[in-house]
Amino acid sequence: MKFTKTLLATTALTVAAGAALAQDMTIVSWGGAYSKSQLKAYHEPYSAKTGVNIINDDSSAEAVAKLRAMNEAGNITWDVVDVVASDAIRLCDEGLALEIDPATQLAPAPDGTSAADDFGDLLVSSCFIPQIVYSTTFGYRTDLVGDTPPSDVCAVFDLETYPGKRSLEKRPINNMEWALLCDGVAKSDVYDVLATDEGQNQALAKLDTIKDSVVWWSAGADTPQLLADGEVIMGSTYNGRLFSVIEEQKQPVAMLWDAQVFDLDGWIIPAGLSEERKQRALDYIYFATDTQRLADQAKYISYGPARASSAPLVGKHADLGIEMAPHMPTDPNNAKNTFLYNYEFWADYRDDIDAKFQAWLAQ
Amino acid sequence: MTDSSAHQPMIAADGLPLKKSLARSLRREKTRALLLIAPLLVFVLLTFIFPIGSMLFRSVENEIVSNILPRTVVELENWDATSGELPDEAVFAAFVADFVVAVEEKNHTRLGSRLNYESSGMSSLFRKSGRKVAKWNPETDGPFKEKLIKTDKGWGDPETWAIIKTHSGKYTNGYFLNAVDMQRTQNGIEAQPESKQILIKLFLRTVKMSLIITASCILLGYPVAWILANLPSRSANLLMILVLLPFWTSLLVRTSAWKVMLQNQGVINDTLVWLGLVSNDARLEIINNQFGTIVAMTHILLPFMILPMYSVMQTIPPTYLRAAKSLGATNWIAFWRVYFPQSIPGIGAGSILVFILAIGYYITPEIVGGTEGVFISNRIAYHISSSLNWGLAAALGAILLVVVLVLYWAYDKIVGIDNVKLG
């Protein structure tokens, strides 16, 4: 009797544990300040509302490779994944992400505008739900650039006026575009030129003029550190990183918004989830990408919300108490001259140009 | 009478012939030994040999093209890729039939990314065409040649079809060719354009720098191991902790610490400028290049050299050196002719450890290597996690493995693997 009872109790416990597990949801993101902003703006209110327990995993940098491995192993342990748009396109191409229908699966704006119109052009892939617009731009040391602070992206290529080291990302994306822009190619022609061998050589030749003065970075935290240490006088990185160097750490650094390259970051749901988990992930996405939630995130980090309807709701920074709108890459004062990352182009040419770029670097 | 007993086989206690009995007991012992190591064997097989084998297999596997475009591949066999002309309607019809199925199963873009490794532009060609072709009926909507070319002029380029044909086999040597800066084209095997040749260079650099790192580890580690082995054990233990301390510190922390030390405004440069040895505007470039990688990796791998050397040196009786000296040898002769030859097994073990670890290193070169100090493993990491070209990553990994095995074999021939001792 006693044995049977114990057995039953254990089974019940196991079932209960199973049920508790079913209320867990693993959300993958980039970690650091960015994950914190999502925790405050999305995860905490969602957990409070539904009781779902959200587990954070900071693996977004390897998300594409890991999702592919999970898919091959037939065991997908992630429910919602935060990736940049180009990775979302890759995942969609590989059949590793779920296609989303904005009309039925995303919340409309408060005034009734459909989600598709509210996100507009930012829905760059049928699997991708954008959260934020971020930009890759330059920051410079205000104390090291002399009396004429740079206002033009071509200052990066001007070693006479601004001698010293600059940091650029160790990959062709963005660098090739800036090089062509500063070599006299019109903004609208950049990708047409870059699709040709001559154009690629032209960009590399322009980069060659500053090659000896470049420190190449591979992690987003590198440039802020290099600027703070005075290792470089200017360098490219994500605008949110520069915001924290300038406003939170009070370093003598200023932003050079000129020719900032817009890019997107957002959610995908892995393909191949069980129906129950899929529904939960969709429910989370519906909640976390509505107008108010996207505006809330901007309280914690200086990235622009991806919905047009969220922009007027952006308020003050939660800790610093400063207005966030002027620090957004999308603010009219900052966005006088911007450059839009061409996803289609880089999906096609990334490997080819990367091989050339790495060969050029190794010379 | 005495003869008859000589022909009888020896009988064991249980009545069986002794020979048989012995064989049986030996067999039993062997089975027991095998059973004892079975868990380890199964563990190694499941978690090591099998995954690595299946990863390396990707370097030749290429079923995706013939799986997604089965009819097209068959039809393309009749088409001469070098003719410079487009394939005929039969190929186009077969392709549309395959493609509509692929779009329905949503794996056409996957094929696009596979073929994009061979020729830029295939990815978007497949993605864009997918949307349009999805609505076609392969039975009734033909002919397709004009129709398909109208959706995208890429289909009107014989090159597109040549790439599909060239890479349609179930197995391919294409990844291995790419790994050594060659490529597979419809005209046979060709060298990559010079502007894209990078991998051979990286292989050579990886081997060269690993050798330099191993050599610097020997030079720096030998005296330390000698002191450790010859001090009284109390102070030796203290020194040993100093050797092991960095060993227990996170790799990333140690690498980042080197960054702080070596950078332009870093500790070493600041000190040199303060001492007046280097002028402020001519600070030394000692990071983000090969020098930085060698310094940081030598430091990180040094314990792997010191520990085997130390444990071998401990076994060398100090009396030998004294005997040599009492027989009239100078300090140097006594060391070189008596002590050093006995410590060679430790150097051998340390060198193999350090070299094999160095050749596969990736995180330290990535952080302090800049552009000239990166290894082939950084490229493998790129293809695993960014470009998703796992076939090429597997081919690079396989080559790296072969290089290590060849060097190991050469080492065995020259030094002899029996001469390697860990203590």
Side-chain angles (χ1 to χ4, degrees), chain A residues 161-221:
Chain A
T161 324
Y162 306 103
K165 296 250 175 194
R166 37 274 271 143
S167 61
L168 293 174
E169 192 171 2
K170 203 196 283 182
R171 62 171 198 175
I173 295 171
N174 297 346
N175 296 331
M176 301 290 266
E177 287 102 318
W178 283 322
L180 285 183
L181 280 177
C182 293
D183 206 30
V185 175
K187 202 153 78 170
S188 53
D189 298 337
V190 163
Y191 286 108
D192 292 333
V193 174
L194 208 50
T196 63
D197 279 340
E198 298 77 45
Q200 292 159 14
N201 293 339
Q202 184 188 351
L204 289 177
K206 183 71 181 175
L207 285 168
D208 218 33
T209 59
I210 55 165
K211 191 178 178 188
D212 292 338
S213 304
V214 175
V215 178
W216 299 96
W217 60 269
S218 44

Side-chain angles (χ1 to χ4, degrees), chain A residues 2-163:
Chain A
K2 203 176 171 194
F3 174 72
T4 331
K5 257 187 190 166
T6 326
L7 197 70
L8 279 176
T10 339
T11 326
L13 268 179
T14 325
V15 173
L21 275 179
Q23 284 299 306
D24 281 346
M25 182 155 74
T26 306
I27 296 186
V28 181
S29 188
W30 299 93
Y34 189 65
S35 277
K36 203 179 136 209
S37 73
Q38 291 176 326
L39 182 78
K40 296 272 182 203
Y42 310 151
H43 302 351
E44 284 179 358
Y46 186 74
S47 291
K49 189 178 140 218
T50 61
V52 170
N53 179 35
I54 291 176
I55 301 162
N56 280 296
D57 183 334
D58 299 338
S59 305
S60 278
E62 309 96 54
V64 186
K66 284 197 172 173
L67 275 172
R68 196 203 238 191
M70 285 184 196
N71 184 277
E72 288 188 5
N75 179 22
I76 293 162
T77 57
W78 293 347
D79 295 284
V80 180
V81 186
D82 188 294
V83 288
V84 291
S86 56
D87 282 346
I89 292 175
R90 256 156 207 262
L91 289 166
C92 217
D93 280 359
E94 293 257 327
L96 299 172
L98 193 73
E99 292 198 18
I100 303 285
D101 174 18
T104 56
Q105 290 169 325
L106 297 178
D111 63 1
T113 315
S114 74
D117 290 338
D118 204 11
F119 283 110
D121 296 340
L122 304 188
L123 291 166
V124 291
S125 156
S126 51
C127 304
F128 179 65
I129 310 105
Q131 279 170 72
I132 55 145
V133 179
Y134 70 95
S135 83
T136 308
T137 186
F138 284 89
Y140 59 87
R141 284 281 296 223
T142 45
D143 53 342
L144 297 177
V145 290
D147 302 331
T148 50
S151 60
D152 184 338
V153 72
C154 296
V156 175
F157 296 90
D158 183 357
L159 287 175
E160 269 173 38
T161 324
Y162 306 103

Side-chain angles (χ1 to χ4, degrees), chain A residues 224-239:
Chain A
Q225 190 60 48
L226 289 167
L227 281 169
D229 289 351
E231 281 287 300
V232 296
I233 69 160
M234 55 178 82
S236 68
T237 188
Y238 314 126
N239 70 292

Side-chain angles (χ1 to χ4, degrees), chain B residues 254-267:
Chain B
R254 279 183 284 162
T255 309
S256 309
W258 276 112
K259 224 171 157 168
V260 176
M261 293 291 289
L262 296 176
Q263 64 185 4
N264 248 343
Q265 313 287 325
V267 179

Side-chain angles (χ1 to χ4, degrees), chain B residues 218-236:
Chain B
I218 297 176
L219 286 179
L220 293 176
Y222 197 90
V224 178
W226 189 82
I227 291 173
L228 276 175
N230 288 292
L231 275 181
S233 66
R234 251 187 53 199
S235 24

Side-chain angles (χ1 to χ4, degrees), chain B residues 309-320:
Chain B
M309 280 185 179
Y310 165 68
S311 57
V312 167
M313 286 179 186
Q314 254 191 333
T315 63
I316 304 173
T319 44
Y320 286 10

